[in-house]
Coordinates of all heavy atoms in Angstrom, one line a residue:
M1 N -24.9 56.3 97.0 CA -23.6 57.0 97.0 C -23.9 58.5 96.8 O -24.8 58.9 96.0 CB -22.7 56.4 95.8 CG -21.3 57.2 95.7 SD -20.3 56.4 94.5 CE -20.5 57.5 93.1
K2 N -23.1 59.3 97.5 CA -23.2 60.7 97.4 C -22.8 61.1 96.0 O -21.9 60.5 95.3 CB -22.3 61.3 98.4 CG -22.2 62.8 98.4 CD -21.4 63.3 99.5 CE -21.3 64.8 99.4 NZ -21.2 65.5 100.7
E3 N -23.5 62.1 95.4 CA -23.1 62.6 94.0 C -21.7 62.8 93.9 O -21.0 62.2 93.0 CB -23.9 63.8 93.7 CG -23.7 64.4 92.4 CD -24.0 63.5 91.2 OE1 -25.0 62.7 91.4 OE2 -23.4 63.7 90.1
A4 N -21.1 63.6 94.6 CA -19.6 63.9 94.6 C -19.3 64.9 95.7 O -20.2 65.7 96.2 CB -19.3 64.6 93.2
W5 N -18.0 64.7 96.1 CA -17.6 65.6 97.3 C -16.8 66.8 96.7 O -15.9 66.5 95.8 CB -16.6 64.8 98.1 CG -17.2 63.7 98.9 CD1 -17.6 62.5 98.4 CD2 -17.4 63.6 100.3 NE1 -18.1 61.7 99.5 CE2 -17.9 62.4 100.6 CE3 -17.3 64.6 101.3 CZ2 -18.3 62.0 102.0 CZ3 -17.6 64.2 102.7 CH2 -18.1 62.9 103.0
K6 N -17.1 68.0 97.0 CA -16.3 69.2 96.7 C -15.0 69.0 97.4 O -14.9 68.5 98.6 CB -16.9 70.4 97.0 CG -18.1 70.7 96.2 CD -18.8 72.1 96.6 CE -20.0 72.4 95.8 NZ -20.6 73.6 96.3
L7 N -13.8 69.4 96.8 CA -12.5 69.2 97.4 C -12.5 69.8 98.8 O -12.0 69.1 99.7 CB -11.5 69.8 96.5 CG -10.1 69.7 97.0 CD1 -9.7 68.2 97.3 CD2 -9.1 70.3 96.1
Q8 N -13.1 71.0 98.9 CA -12.9 71.6 100.2 C -13.8 70.8 101.3 O -13.3 70.7 102.5 CB -13.4 73.1 100.2 CG -14.9 73.2 99.9 CD -15.2 74.1 98.7 OE1 -14.3 74.3 97.8 NE2 -16.4 74.8 98.6
D9 N -14.9 70.3 100.9 CA -15.6 69.4 101.8 C -14.9 68.1 102.1 O -14.8 67.6 103.3 CB -17.0 69.0 101.3 CG -17.9 70.2 101.1 OD1 -17.7 71.2 101.8 OD2 -18.8 70.2 100.3
A10 N -14.2 67.5 101.2 CA -13.5 66.3 101.4 C -12.3 66.5 102.3 O -12.1 65.7 103.1 CB -13.0 65.8 99.9
K11 N -11.7 67.6 102.2 CA -10.6 68.0 103.1 C -11.1 68.2 104.6 O -10.5 67.6 105.5 CB -9.8 69.2 102.6 CG -9.0 68.9 101.3 CD -8.1 69.9 101.0 CE -8.6 71.4 100.8 NZ -7.6 72.4 100.4
A12 N -12.2 68.9 104.7 CA -12.7 69.3 106.0 C -13.4 68.0 106.6 O -13.3 67.9 107.9 CB -13.7 70.3 105.8
R13 N -13.9 67.1 105.8 CA -14.5 66.0 106.4 C -13.9 64.6 105.9 O -14.6 63.7 105.5 CB -15.9 66.0 106.0 CG -16.7 67.2 106.5 CD -18.1 67.6 105.9 NE -18.9 66.4 105.8 CZ -19.9 66.3 105.0 NH1 -20.1 67.3 104.2 NH2 -20.7 65.2 105.0
F14 N -12.5 64.6 105.8 CA -11.8 63.5 105.4 C -12.2 62.2 106.0 O -12.4 61.1 105.3 CB -10.3 63.7 105.4 CG -9.5 62.6 104.7 CD1 -9.5 62.5 103.3 CD2 -8.8 61.7 105.5 CE1 -8.8 61.7 102.7 CE2 -8.1 60.7 104.9 CZ -8.0 60.7 103.4
S15 N -12.3 62.1 107.3 CA -12.7 60.9 108.1 C -14.0 60.4 107.5 O -14.3 59.2 107.2 CB -12.8 61.2 109.6 OG -13.1 59.9 110.2
E16 N -15.0 61.2 107.3 CA -16.4 60.8 106.7 C -16.2 60.3 105.3 O -16.8 59.3 105.0 CB -17.4 62.0 106.7 CG -17.8 62.5 108.0 CD -18.7 63.7 108.0 OE1 -19.7 63.6 107.2 OE2 -18.4 64.7 108.7
L17 N -15.3 61.0 104.5 CA -15.1 60.5 103.2 C -14.5 59.1 103.1 O -14.9 58.2 102.4 CB -14.1 61.4 102.5 CG -13.5 61.0 101.1 CD1 -14.7 61.0 100.0 CD2 -12.4 62.0 100.6
V18 N -13.5 58.8 104.0 CA -13.0 57.5 104.1 C -14.0 56.5 104.5 O -14.2 55.3 104.0 CB -11.8 57.4 105.0 CG1 -11.3 56.0 105.3 CG2 -10.6 58.3 104.5
D19 N -14.8 56.8 105.6 CA -15.9 56.0 106.0 C -16.9 55.6 104.9 O -17.3 54.5 104.7 CB -16.6 56.5 107.3 CG -15.7 56.5 108.5 OD1 -14.8 55.7 108.6 OD2 -16.2 57.3 109.5
A20 N -17.3 56.7 104.2 CA -18.2 56.5 103.0 C -17.7 55.5 102.0 O -18.3 54.6 101.5 CB -18.6 57.8 102.5
A21 N -16.4 55.7 101.7 CA -15.7 54.8 100.7 C -15.8 53.3 101.2 O -16.0 52.4 100.5 CB -14.3 55.2 100.4
L22 N -15.5 53.1 102.5 CA -15.5 51.8 103.1 C -16.9 51.2 103.2 O -17.1 50.0 102.9 CB -14.9 51.8 104.5 CG -13.3 52.1 104.5 CD1 -12.8 52.4 105.9 CD2 -12.6 51.0 103.8
E23 N -17.9 52.0 103.5 CA -19.2 51.5 103.7 C -20.1 51.5 102.4 O -21.0 50.6 102.3 CB -19.9 52.3 104.8 CG -19.3 52.1 106.1 CD -19.7 53.1 107.1 OE1 -20.7 53.8 107.0 OE2 -19.1 53.2 108.3
E24 N -19.9 52.6 101.6 CA -20.8 52.8 100.5 C -20.3 52.5 99.1 O -20.9 52.4 98.1 CB -21.4 54.2 100.5 CG -22.1 54.5 101.7 CD -22.4 56.0 101.9 OE1 -22.4 56.7 100.8 OE2 -22.6 56.5 103.0
G25 N -18.9 52.5 99.0 CA -18.2 52.3 97.8 C -17.5 53.4 97.4 O -17.4 54.4 98.1
P26 N -17.0 53.6 96.1 CA -16.2 54.6 95.6 C -16.8 55.9 95.7 O -18.0 56.1 95.6 CB -16.1 54.3 94.1 CG -16.3 52.8 94.0 CD -17.2 52.4 95.1
Q27 N -16.0 56.9 96.1 CA -16.4 58.3 96.4 C -15.7 59.2 95.5 O -14.5 59.2 95.4 CB -16.2 58.7 97.9 CG -16.8 57.8 98.9 CD -18.4 58.0 98.9 OE1 -18.9 59.1 99.0 NE2 -19.0 56.8 98.7
T28 N -16.4 60.0 94.7 CA -15.8 61.0 93.8 C -15.6 62.3 94.4 O -16.4 62.8 95.1 CB -16.8 61.1 92.5 OG1 -17.0 59.9 92.0 CG2 -16.1 62.0 91.5
V29 N -14.4 62.9 94.1 CA -14.1 64.2 94.6 C -13.9 65.1 93.4 O -13.2 64.8 92.4 CB -12.7 64.2 95.4 CG1 -12.4 65.6 95.9 CG2 -12.9 63.2 96.6
T30 N -14.5 66.3 93.5 CA -14.4 67.3 92.5 C -13.5 68.5 92.8 O -13.4 68.8 94.0 CB -15.8 67.9 92.0 OG1 -16.3 68.5 93.1 CG2 -16.7 66.6 91.6
R31 N -12.9 69.1 91.8 CA -12.1 70.3 92.0 C -12.7 71.3 90.9 O -12.6 71.0 89.7 CB -10.7 70.1 91.8 CG -9.8 71.4 92.0 CD -8.4 71.2 91.6 NE -7.7 70.4 92.5 CZ -6.5 69.9 92.3 NH1 -5.8 70.1 91.2 NH2 -5.9 69.1 93.3
R32 N -13.0 72.4 91.3 CA -13.7 73.4 90.4 C -14.7 72.9 89.5 O -14.9 73.1 88.3 CB -12.6 74.1 89.5 CG -11.6 74.8 90.4 CD -10.5 75.6 89.5 NE -9.3 75.7 90.2 CZ -8.2 74.9 90.1 NH1 -8.2 73.9 89.4 NH2 -7.2 75.2 90.9
G33 N -15.6 72.0 90.1 CA -16.7 71.4 89.3 C -16.4 70.2 88.4 O -17.2 69.6 87.9
E34 N -15.1 69.8 88.3 CA -14.7 68.7 87.5 C -14.3 67.6 88.3 O -13.6 67.7 89.4 CB -13.3 69.1 86.7 CG -13.6 70.3 85.7 CD -14.5 69.9 84.5 OE1 -14.3 68.7 84.0 OE2 -15.3 70.7 84.1
K35 N -14.8 66.3 88.0 CA -14.4 65.1 88.7 C -12.9 64.9 88.5 O -12.4 64.9 87.4 CB -15.1 63.9 88.2 CG -16.7 64.0 88.4 CD -17.5 62.8 87.8 CE -19.0 63.0 88.2 NZ -19.7 61.9 87.6
T36 N -12.3 64.7 89.7 CA -10.7 64.6 89.6 C -10.2 63.3 90.2 O -9.3 62.8 89.7 CB -10.1 65.8 90.4 OG1 -10.5 65.9 91.7 CG2 -10.4 67.1 89.6
V37 N -10.8 62.9 91.3 CA -10.3 61.6 91.9 C -11.4 60.8 92.4 O -12.6 61.3 92.7 CB -9.3 61.8 93.0 CG1 -8.0 62.6 92.4 CG2 -9.8 62.6 94.1
V38 N -11.1 59.5 92.6 CA -12.1 58.7 93.3 C -11.4 58.0 94.5 O -10.2 57.5 94.3 CB -12.6 57.6 92.3 CG1 -13.5 56.5 93.0 CG2 -13.3 58.2 91.1
V39 N -12.0 58.0 95.7 CA -11.5 57.4 96.9 C -12.1 56.0 96.9 O -13.3 55.8 96.9 CB -11.8 58.2 98.1 CG1 -11.2 57.5 99.3 CG2 -11.1 59.6 98.0
I40 N -11.2 54.9 97.0 CA -11.8 53.5 97.0 C -11.0 52.8 98.2 O -9.9 53.2 98.5 CB -11.6 52.8 95.8 CG1 -10.2 52.7 95.4 CG2 -12.4 53.4 94.6 CD1 -10.0 51.8 94.2
P41 N -11.7 51.8 98.8 CA -10.9 51.0 99.8 C -9.7 50.3 99.2 O -9.7 50.0 98.0 CB -12.1 50.0 100.2 CG -13.3 50.5 99.7 CD -13.0 51.4 98.6
Y42 N -8.7 50.2 100.0 CA -7.4 49.6 99.6 C -7.6 48.3 98.9 O -7.0 48.0 97.9 CB -6.4 49.5 100.7 CG -5.1 48.9 100.3 CD1 -4.2 49.7 99.6 CD2 -4.8 47.7 100.7 CE1 -3.0 49.2 99.2 CE2 -3.6 47.1 100.2 CZ -2.6 47.9 99.5 OH -1.5 47.4 99.1
Q43 N -8.4 47.5 99.5 CA -8.6 46.1 98.9 C -9.3 46.2 97.5 O -8.8 45.4 96.6 CB -9.4 45.2 99.8 CG -8.8 44.8 101.1 CD -7.5 44.0 100.9 OE1 -7.3 43.3 100.0 NE2 -6.5 44.3 101.7
E44 N -10.0 47.1 97.2 CA -10.6 47.3 96.0 C -9.5 47.7 95.0 O -9.4 47.3 93.8 CB -11.8 48.2 95.9 CG -12.4 48.5 94.6 CD -13.2 47.3 94.2 OE1 -13.4 46.4 94.9 OE2 -13.7 47.4 93.1
F45 N -8.6 48.6 95.4 CA -7.5 49.1 94.6 C -6.6 47.9 94.3 O -6.3 47.8 93.1 CB -6.6 50.2 95.3 CG -5.3 50.5 94.7 CD1 -5.3 51.3 93.6 CD2 -4.2 49.9 95.3 CE1 -4.1 51.6 93.0 CE2 -3.0 50.2 94.7 CZ -2.9 51.1 93.6
V46 N -6.3 47.0 95.2 CA -5.4 45.9 95.0 C -6.1 45.0 93.9 O -5.5 44.6 93.0 CB -5.1 45.2 96.2 CG1 -4.5 43.8 96.0 CG2 -4.3 46.0 97.1
R47 N -7.4 44.7 94.2 CA -8.2 43.8 93.1 C -8.1 44.4 91.8 O -8.0 43.7 90.8 CB -9.6 43.8 93.7 CG -10.4 42.7 92.8 CD -11.9 42.7 93.2 NE -12.6 43.9 92.9 CZ -13.1 44.2 91.6 NH1 -12.7 43.3 90.6 NH2 -13.6 45.3 91.3
L48 N -8.3 45.7 91.6 CA -8.2 46.3 90.3 C -7.0 46.4 89.7 O -6.9 46.5 88.4 CB -8.9 47.8 90.3 CG -10.4 47.8 90.7 CD1 -10.8 49.3 91.1 CD2 -11.3 47.2 89.8
T49 N -5.9 46.5 90.4 CA -4.6 46.7 89.8 C -3.7 45.4 89.7 O -2.7 45.4 89.0 CB -3.8 47.7 90.6 OG1 -3.6 47.2 91.9 CG2 -4.4 49.1 90.6
Q50 N -4.1 44.3 90.3 CA -3.3 43.2 90.2 C -3.8 42.3 89.1 O -5.0 41.9 89.0 CB -3.3 42.3 91.5 CG -2.5 42.9 92.6 CD -2.4 42.0 93.8 OE1 -3.3 41.2 94.0 NE2 -1.5 42.2 94.7
A51 N -2.9 42.0 88.2 CA -3.2 41.0 87.0 C -3.4 39.6 87.6 O -2.5 39.2 88.4 CB -2.2 41.1 86.0
E52 N -4.4 38.9 87.3 CA -4.6 37.6 87.7 C -3.6 36.6 87.0 O -3.3 35.6 87.4 CB -6.0 37.2 87.6 CG -6.8 38.0 88.6 CD -8.2 37.5 88.6 OE1 -8.6 36.5 88.1 OE2 -9.0 38.3 89.2
T53 N -3.3 37.0 85.7 CA -2.5 36.1 84.9 C -1.4 37.0 84.2 O -1.7 38.2 84.0 CB -3.2 35.4 83.8 OG1 -3.8 36.2 83.0 CG2 -4.2 34.4 84.4
T54 N -0.3 36.5 83.8 CA 0.7 37.2 83.2 C 0.5 37.0 81.7 O -0.2 36.2 81.2 CB 2.1 36.8 83.4 OG1 2.2 35.4 82.9 CG2 2.5 36.7 84.9
L55 N 1.1 37.9 80.9 CA 0.9 37.8 79.4 C 1.5 36.4 79.0 O 0.9 35.8 78.1 CB 1.7 38.9 78.7 CG 1.6 39.0 77.2 CD1 0.1 39.0 76.6 CD2 2.4 40.1 76.7
D56 N 2.5 35.9 79.5 CA 3.0 34.6 79.2 C 2.1 33.5 79.5 O 1.9 32.7 78.7 CB 4.4 34.5 79.9 CG 5.1 33.2 79.5 OD1 5.1 32.9 78.3 OD2 5.6 32.4 80.4
D57 N 1.4 33.6 80.6 CA 0.5 32.7 81.0 C -0.8 32.7 80.0 O -1.2 31.6 79.5 CB -0.2 32.9 82.3 CG 0.9 32.6 83.4 OD1 1.8 31.9 83.2 OD2 0.6 33.2 84.5
A58 N -1.1 33.9 79.7 CA -2.3 34.0 78.7 C -2.0 33.5 77.3 O -2.7 32.8 76.6 CB -2.7 35.5 78.7
L59 N -0.9 33.8 76.7 CA -0.4 33.4 75.4 C 0.0 31.9 75.4 O -0.3 31.2 74.5 CB 0.8 34.1 75.0 CG 0.5 35.6 74.7 CD1 1.7 36.4 74.2 CD2 -0.7 35.8 73.7
G60 N 0.5 31.4 76.6 CA 1.0 30.0 76.7 C -0.3 29.1 76.7 O -0.2 27.9 76.2
G61 N -1.4 29.5 77.1 CA -2.6 28.8 77.1 C -3.5 28.8 75.8 O -4.5 28.2 75.7
A62 N -2.9 29.4 74.7 CA -3.6 29.5 73.5 C -3.7 28.1 72.9 O -2.7 27.3 72.9 CB -2.9 30.5 72.5
S63 N -4.9 27.9 72.3 CA -5.1 26.5 71.8 C -4.4 26.3 70.4 O -4.1 25.2 70.0 CB -6.6 26.2 71.5 OG -7.1 27.2 70.7
E64 N -4.0 27.4 69.7 CA -3.3 27.3 68.4 C -2.1 28.2 68.5 O -1.8 29.1 69.3 CB -4.2 27.8 67.3 CG -5.5 27.1 67.1 CD -6.3 27.7 66.0 OE1 -5.8 28.4 65.1 OE2 -7.5 27.4 65.9
E65 N -1.2 27.9 67.6 CA 0.0 28.7 67.5 C -0.4 30.2 67.0 O -1.2 30.3 66.2 CB 1.1 28.0 66.5 CG 2.3 28.9 66.4 CD 3.3 28.3 65.3 OE1 3.2 27.1 65.1 OE2 4.2 29.0 65.0
L66 N 0.2 31.1 67.7 CA -0.1 32.5 67.4 C 0.9 33.0 66.3 O 2.0 32.7 66.5 CB -0.1 33.3 68.6 CG -1.0 32.9 69.7 CD1 -0.8 33.8 71.0 CD2 -2.5 33.2 69.3
I67 N 0.3 33.5 65.3 CA 1.2 34.1 64.2 C 1.0 35.7 64.2 O -0.2 36.1 64.1 CB 0.8 33.5 62.9 CG1 1.0 31.9 63.0 CG2 1.6 34.2 61.8 CD1 0.5 31.3 61.7
F68 N 2.1 36.3 64.3 CA 2.0 37.8 64.3 C 2.5 38.3 63.1 O 3.6 37.9 62.5 CB 2.8 38.4 65.4 CG 2.2 38.1 66.8 CD1 2.8 36.9 67.5 CD2 1.2 38.7 67.4 CE1 2.3 36.6 68.7 CE2 0.7 38.4 68.6 CZ 1.2 37.2 69.3
E69 N 1.7 39.2 62.3 CA 2.2 39.7 61.1 C 2.4 41.2 61.2 O 1.6 41.9 61.9 CB 1.2 39.4 60.0 CG 1.1 37.9 59.6 CD 0.1 37.6 58.6 OE1 -0.3 38.6 57.9 OE2 -0.4 36.5 58.4
R70 N 3.4 41.7 60.6 CA 3.7 43.1 60.6 C 3.0 43.8 59.4 O 3.0 43.3 58.3 CB 5.2 43.3 60.5 CG 5.7 44.7 60.4 CD 7.2 44.9 60.4 NE 7.5 46.1 60.0 CZ 8.6 46.4 59.4 NH1 9.6 45.6 59.2 NH2 8.9 47.8 59.1
D71 N 2.5 45.0 59.7 CA 1.9 45.8 58.6 C 3.1 46.4 57.7 O 3.9 47.1 58.2 CB 1.0 46.9 59.2 CG 0.4 47.8 58.1 OD1 0.5 47.5 56.9 OD2 -0.2 48.8 58.6
R72 N 3.1 46.0 56.5 CA 4.2 46.4 55.7 C 3.8 47.6 54.8 O 4.5 47.9 53.8 CB 4.5 45.2 54.8 CG 5.0 44.0 55.6 CD 6.4 43.6 55.4 NE 6.7 42.5 56.1 CZ 7.9 42.4 56.9 NH1 8.7 43.5 56.9 NH2 8.0 41.4 57.6
T73 N 2.8 48.3 55.1 CA 2.4 49.5 54.3 C 3.4 50.5 54.4 O 4.0 50.8 55.5 CB 1.0 50.1 54.9 OG1 0.0 49.1 54.9 CG2 0.6 51.3 54.2
P74 N 3.9 51.0 53.3 CA 5.0 52.0 53.4 C 4.6 53.3 54.1 O 3.5 53.7 54.1 CB 5.3 52.4 51.8 CG 4.5 51.4 51.1 CD 3.5 50.7 51.9
V75 N 5.6 53.8 54.8 CA 5.3 55.0 55.6 C 5.8 56.1 54.7 O 6.8 56.2 54.2 CB 6.1 55.0 56.9 CG1 5.9 56.3 57.7 CG2 5.8 53.7 57.7
P76 N 4.9 57.2 54.6 CA 5.4 58.4 53.8 C 6.6 59.1 54.4 O 6.7 59.1 55.6 CB 4.1 59.3 53.8 CG 3.2 58.8 54.9 CD 3.6 57.4 55.3
A77 N 7.4 59.7 53.5 CA 8.6 60.3 53.9 C 8.1 61.6 54.6 O 7.1 62.3 54.3 CB 9.4 60.7 52.7
V78 N 9.0 62.0 55.6 CA 8.7 63.2 56.4 C 9.9 64.1 56.2 O 11.0 63.7 56.4 CB 8.5 62.9 57.9 CG1 8.3 64.1 58.7 CG2 7.3 61.9 58.0
T79 N 9.6 65.4 56.0 CA 10.7 66.4 55.9 C 10.7 67.2 57.2 O 9.7 67.8 57.5 CB 10.3 67.4 54.7 OG1 10.2 66.6 53.5 CG2 11.6 68.3 54.5
L80 N 11.8 67.3 57.8 CA 12.0 68.0 58.9 C 12.7 69.3 58.6 O 13.7 69.4 57.8 CB 12.9 67.3 59.9 CG 12.3 65.9 60.4 CD1 13.3 65.2 61.3 CD2 10.9 66.2 61.1
E81 N 12.1 70.4 59.1 CA 12.8 71.7 58.8 C 13.6 72.2 59.9 O 13.3 72.0 61.1 CB 11.7 72.7 58.4 CG 11.0 72.3 57.1 CD 9.9 73.2 56.7 OE1 9.8 74.4 57.1 OE2 9.1 72.7 55.9

């Protein structure tokens, strides 16, 4: 994988950037020397963002009853001016 694409290079060679993401994997783009974005194939984006189970499914499969307790530590008073 290329170290990182400068933003101006990524804009000028966008097609190459897309091809590199598809063939080599995630491509980092920098702006003013700072890493700002990563270009990834759409299928990878879908895989990373779709939850395979819902919270209800995850909690429903618990082997024991879940007990949630609230922290009852007093909260200090706040004075607003």
Side-chain angles (χ1 to χ4, degrees):
M1 180 173 98
K2 181 176 177 151
E3 177 64 28
W5 295 75
K6 292 180 182 178
L7 180 59
Q8 66 236 26
D9 294 337
K11 290 192 297 186
R13 299 168 46 203
F14 187 71
S15 184
E16 290 179 54
L17 173 65
V18 171
D19 289 342
L22 292 171
E23 296 169 11
E24 301 169 23
Q27 301 293 304
T28 303
V29 179
T30 63
R31 180 190 289 169
R32 295 182 205 101
E34 297 289 323
K35 293 179 180 179
T36 54
V37 298
V38 176
V39 178
I40 61 172
Y42 179 74
Q43 291 301 325
E44 182 70 4
F45 169 77
V46 170
R47 185 186 71 77
L48 292 170
T49 58
Q50 286 186 339
E52 295 186 15
T53 61
T54 64
L55 180 59
D56 186 44
D57 291 339
L59 295 177
S63 59
E64 299 179 19
E65 181 179 339
L66 299 174
I67 300 172
F68 297 95
E69 295 182 17
R70 179 177 164 206
D71 180 3
R72 304 242 181 230
T73 305
V75 178
V78 176
T79 304
L80 299 176
E81 294 180 20

